[in-house]
Amino acid sequence: MATIRLGDKAPDFTADSSMGTINLYDYLGDSWGILFSHPADFTPVCTTELGTASKFKDEFDKRNVKMLALSVDGAASHAEWIKDINEVQNTTVNFPIIADEDKKVSYLYDMIHPNADNNLTVRSVFIIAPDKSVKLTLTYPASTGRNFYELLRVIDSLQLTANHKVATPANWEHGKDVVVSPAISTADAKEMFSKGVTEVKPYLRMTPDPTA
């Protein structure tokens, strides 16, 4: 079981799911992807997370991000659990949940942390770029539900910085000012960014979001 680091290629896999057999690379195609694990079916925090994720699907779709969840229970269990999620969260689960009963994918992605629990996956998040490289990893304990607004914010940052020579500052949200890459001189930045550049310090230059 290898630790997956930023920039590594996301390991491919084929597994059963709530929507039939899924091959990761085929499923993602040329899209971005978000893979997130859940400790088990019929657990309270996961039920709220999957309901929330379903309500956010349109936002992920706008960003060309395909969603994929995982739990260590089987597809039949997932089908019954989805009924509960749809009922109590007033939604429709609209993306696949991987059935990982043999924990093959969980071990492939280092989602089992024995000092937390030997059998259940932690709440892992992997954001995968179209070239299948891992751009972000997050690990939450089983007791803490994820913030899907933060996941969208991170994706906005990853997609912006992949296409423009900028970085995003603390608490950045789409449309707010961004940081000019340190590799670019201020003179070059002023030519490159038509909306203007503000030099706060020689190493800290701000420019309006080029996509806003």
Side-chain angles (χ1 to χ4, degrees):
M1 172 168 41
T3 300
I4 296 175
R5 295 184 170 92
L6 300 185
D8 288 353
K9 194 164 188 179
D12 195 15
F13 60 81
T14 300
D16 195 14
S17 84
S18 59
M19 295 184 174
T21 302
I22 293 278
N23 172 265
L24 178 67
Y25 283 13
D26 290 345
Y27 175 71
L28 295 182
D30 295 327
S31 299
W32 288 71
I34 181 168
L35 169 65
F36 50 103
S37 61
H38 297 271
D41 291 0
F42 301 101
T43 50
V45 176
C46 299
T47 299
T48 67
E49 285 191 316
L50 284 169
T52 300
S54 301
K55 294 173 184 177
F56 273 67
K57 186 173 183 296
D58 286 348
E59 291 298 323
F60 285 105
D61 286 347
K62 285 179 193 174
R63 294 160 173 82
N64 191 31
V65 179
K66 290 187 175 176
M67 305 165 68
L68 191 59
L70 175 145
S71 170
V72 294
D73 294 302
S77 174
H78 289 355
E80 291 303 311
W81 184 31
I82 285 169
K83 293 177 186 177
D84 281 2
I85 297 165
N86 292 344
E87 175 191 346
V88 302
Q89 295 293 298
N90 192 29
T91 188
T92 300
V93 173
N94 42 22
F95 53 87
I97 306 173
I98 293 294
D100 194 34
E101 288 182 284
D102 60 4
K103 302 184 179 68
K104 181 182 76 172
V105 180
S106 299
Y107 284 118
L108 189 63
Y109 277 80
D110 194 21
M111 294 171 172
I112 304 283
H113 293 200
N115 289 331
D117 193 296
N118 265 322
N119 298 307
L120 304 180
T121 54
V122 291
R123 296 185 194 284
S124 299
V125 180
F126 298 90
I127 295 178
I128 303 166
D131 67 359
K132 308 301 183 289
S133 63
V134 174
K135 295 299 185 185
L136 176 133
T137 64
L138 283 169
T139 304
Y140 296 77
S143 56
T144 302
R146 282 163 277 222
N147 184 326
F148 283 84
Y149 292 105
E150 168 63 5
L151 295 178
L152 288 177
R153 189 192 77 85
V154 166
I155 288 166
D156 285 342
S157 173
L158 290 170
Q159 294 183 342
L160 172 66
T161 58
N163 295 307
H164 298 274
K165 295 183 185 302
V166 297
T168 56
N171 294 337
W172 176 85
E173 294 175 356
H174 175 70
K176 292 186 176 181
D177 287 358
V178 295
V179 175
V180 175
S181 169
I184 302 169
S185 70
T186 299
D188 288 345
K190 287 179 177 177
E191 290 186 13
M192 189 177 297
F193 298 107
S194 59
K195 295 180 180 179
V197 174
T198 301
E199 186 176 279
V200 182
K201 291 285 184 182
Y203 60 86
L204 176 58
R205 290 82 47 82
M206 306 297 294
T207 187
D209 183 340
T211 65

